[in-house]
């Protein structure tokens, strides 16, 4: 009786988007990922997009953040994971807010990005969509000075109430104000 040698397991094949490398620009990302739930949900709200290192980032206008959160929630993204900010000082728009949202069912993550100029540091709170954003928005307010309209209790969360300034801004003095 002849025996055959077992065939080795084939090497895993990366998905087409990851194999092609990073994709930049709304049109290119939305074309390459046309079947993605977040891409479908945000087709009318997105201003820019990128797919890099298996991470999808969709930029929306400041006035569309609540609608964008509602859209991805309706598309099956069920978990608000995190909100953070970046100060790109001295460039404008100066601040970028990144909302990380997860779908357990689809095993996918999307990052919603909003860019803010120094002159307009207010945008709508997403706590009506995801109440768990409450403390993240308070942290961004406390450390960067970005206001969230409609937030249920926008107060400092890390620094004392009488603290002057916002310590994670790049123009904040290293030793604080004296």
């Amino acid at each position: 009786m002849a025996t055959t040698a077992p065939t080795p397991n084939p090497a895993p094949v990366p998905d087409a988007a990851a194999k092609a490398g990073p994709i930049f620009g709304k049109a290119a990302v939305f074309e390459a990922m046309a079947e993605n739930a977040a891409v479908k949900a945000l087709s009318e709200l997105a201003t820019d997009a990128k797919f890099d290192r298996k991470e999808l980032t969709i930029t929306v206008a400041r006035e569309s953040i609540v609608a964008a959160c509602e859209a991805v929630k309706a598309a099956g993204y069920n978990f608000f994971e995190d909100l953070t900010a970046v100060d790109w000082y001295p460039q404008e728009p100066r601040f970028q807010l990144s909302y990380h949202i997860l779908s357990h069912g689809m095993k996918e993550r999307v990052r919603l990005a909003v860019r803010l100029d120094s002159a307009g540091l207010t945008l709508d709170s997403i706590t009506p969509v995801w109440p768990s954003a409450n403390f993240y928005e308070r942290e961004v307010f406390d450390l960067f000075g970005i206001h969230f309209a409609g937030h249920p209790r926008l107060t400092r969360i890390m620094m004392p109430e009488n603290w002057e300034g916002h310590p994670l801004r790049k123009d904040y003095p290293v030793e604080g104000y004296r």
Side-chain angles (χ1 to χ4, degrees):
M1 173 154 87
T3 60
T4 58
T7 57
N9 292 337
V13 179
D15 61 352
K19 184 190 247 184
I23 307 169
F24 297 99
K26 178 184 172 183
V29 171
F30 279 48
E31 181 181 330
M33 303 183 75
E35 295 305 312
N36 181 282
V39 166
K40 288 179 183 178
L42 297 172
S43 62
E44 300 298 318
L45 298 171
T47 59
D48 197 9
K50 77 174 181 177
F51 184 77
D52 190 13
R53 296 178 185 93
K54 296 185 181 182
E55 293 181 355
L56 176 61
T57 302
I58 299 177
T59 304
V60 298
R62 67 185 306 144
E63 54 277 348
S64 301
I65 188 59
V66 174
C69 288
E70 290 169 341
V72 294
K73 189 173 189 179
Y77 290 82
N78 61 318
F79 183 72
F80 174 76
E81 190 172 36
D82 186 28
L83 164 64
T84 190
V86 179
D87 183 355
W88 295 107
Y89 179 81
Q91 103 185 20
E92 290 289 343
R94 179 174 173 175
F95 295 97
Q96 176 182 319
L97 280 79
S98 295
Y99 297 79
H100 301 98
I101 302 167
L102 178 67
S103 168
H104 290 103
M106 294 181 282
K107 295 183 171 90
E108 289 181 359
R109 173 178 282 119
V110 64
R111 176 185 302 115
L112 300 180
V114 174
R115 299 296 301 259
L116 298 175
D117 290 327
S118 304
L121 293 181
T122 301
L123 76 157
D124 293 331
S125 172
I126 66 161
T127 56
V129 181
W130 277 299
S132 60
N134 186 321
F135 291 102
Y136 295 106
E137 289 180 351
R138 286 179 61 194
E139 180 180 6
V140 169
F141 163 72
D142 191 4
L143 300 177
F144 290 93
I146 297 169
H147 294 265
F148 294 89
H151 189 280
R153 187 173 177 248
L154 194 60
T155 57
R156 289 198 180 266
I157 192 170
M158 301 179 93
M159 306 306 290
E161 285 296 323
N162 62 349
W163 192 267
E164 187 180 335
H166 305 283
L168 288 186
R169 287 188 176 193
K170 289 191 177 174
D171 58 354
Y172 187 80
V174 175
E175 295 181 13
Y177 293 108
R178 294 183 179 232

